[in-house]
Amino acid sequence: AQSVTQLDSQVPVFEEAPVELRCNYSSSVSVYLFWYVQYPNQGLQLLLKYLSGSTLVKGINGFEAEFNKSQTSFHLRKPSVHISDTAEYFCAVSPYGAGSYQLTFGKGTKLSVIP
Amino acid sequence: KAGVTQTPRYLIKTRGQQVTLSCSPISGHRSVSWYQQTPGQGLQFLFEYFSETQRNKGNFPGRFSGRQFSNSRSEMNVSTLELGDSALYLCATSGGTSGGEQYFGPGTRLTVT
């Protein structure tokens, strides 16, 4: 079984400041890692994913994340946030080679960008 | 390509009734998963269908069921609705790419009164 912990439920940050949203996971098997974003009254949009290879992955809208296997973390970062980044962000994992695409999600982090 | 579509977008039902939600995947996607999103429990996996077969199921009571048709469209049904079933129900589809990245629909907001 897998579990995902998002360490901050809410993160306020001023516009143009950097931000880091933290994610730790637990799994007895290898996993794929994802970050999704959800805007109000919408579904989830994939920001980025880590499957294998380079531990630094770049996604859409200027976001990037770094996979740290020893710390079982997959933190999301953006060097300069915009008002439009205000949304809820979810970290998720799915087991590698399990024959199923089931995602296990964290509880989410609400990012509020302050003008 | 058109995205994942879900119908209806909003639904109000009374306790004890049943409801059917529909999901049309992205063209070519054969995997369809359903998730329930609530403020208290967050996003929870309900079940996944692939080529008309359920291949994985989450920890939900038997009142929650689903099916997939030959064109990959999927429906989920909830019988004997309870107040606690009020939630956003999200459908996600996958084309089987490495890692199984999933694409989500806008969801169906179900309110049980």
Side-chain angles (χ1 to χ4, degrees):
Chain A
Q2 295 79 45
S3 67
V4 178
T5 302
Q6 291 184 241
L7 297 158
D8 306 294
S9 60
Q10 298 189 54
V11 173
V13 61
F14 286 103
E15 193 174 15
E16 297 184 7
V19 68
E20 178 180 81
L21 306 183
R22 298 179 292 168
C23 171
N24 286 93
Y25 70 93
S26 174
S27 176
S28 56
V29 300
S30 296
V31 294
Y32 301 120
L33 297 132
F34 306 86
W35 275 99
Y36 284 87
V37 60
Q38 185 176 35
Y39 299 101
N41 300 314
Q42 295 187 27
L44 278 68
Q45 180 183 7
L46 181 66
L47 274 178
L48 48 78
K49 61 184 177 182
Y50 174 78
L51 305 182
S52 63
S54 173
T55 57
L56 183 64
V57 293
K58 294 188 183 297
I60 62 172
N61 301 341
F63 284 93
E64 64 181 31
E66 186 158 18
F67 170 57
N68 187 317
K69 188 174 182 179
S70 62
Q71 297 186 9
T72 59
S73 67
F74 190 53
H75 300 333
L76 180 71
R77 301 186 184 101
K78 187 170 183 178
S80 175
V81 296
H82 303 289
I83 295 291
S84 59
D85 294 323
T86 295
E88 190 160 18
Y89 293 79
F90 293 92
C91 181
V93 301
S94 69
Y96 175 81
S100 168
Y101 300 141
Q102 175 183 348
L103 288 166
T104 300
F105 287 92
K107 293 291 190 184
T109 298
K110 290 185 179 177
L111 174 64
S112 298
V113 180
I114 305 163
Chain B
K1 277 186 180 178
V4 179
T5 58
Q6 292 187 244
T7 56
R9 291 292 312 277
Y10 302 91
L11 207 49
I12 300 175
K13 290 286 188 179
T14 304
R15 272 182 302 175
Q17 289 185 316
Q18 74 165 14
V19 67
T20 299
L21 313 181
S22 179
C23 171
S24 293
I26 293 171
S27 177
H29 284 195
R30 295 164 64 191
S31 166
V32 177
S33 297
W34 290 87
Y35 295 84
Q36 181 195 65
Q37 185 177 25
T38 60
Q41 298 299 316
L43 283 151
Q44 294 185 285
F45 172 76
L46 280 155
F47 29 65
E48 179 193 3
Y49 286 86
F50 184 85
S51 293
E52 301 180 66
T53 301
Q54 186 183 91
R55 70 177 180 181
N56 201 359
K57 189 178 190 308
N59 188 26
F60 277 82
R63 299 185 297 108
F64 292 82
S65 63
R67 59 177 176 168
Q68 186 180 33
F69 301 95
S70 58
N71 61 357
S72 293
R73 188 177 71 86
S74 176
E75 289 180 348
M76 67 163 282
N77 184 77
V78 188
S79 62
T80 319
L81 284 166
E82 301 177 359
L83 294 179
D85 297 332
S86 294
L88 181 66
Y89 290 89
L90 292 162
C91 166
T93 76
S94 177
T97 56
S98 177
E101 63 187 74
Q102 296 188 40
Y103 296 86
F104 283 78
T108 294
R109 172 74 63 184
L110 172 65
T111 302
V112 182
T113 62

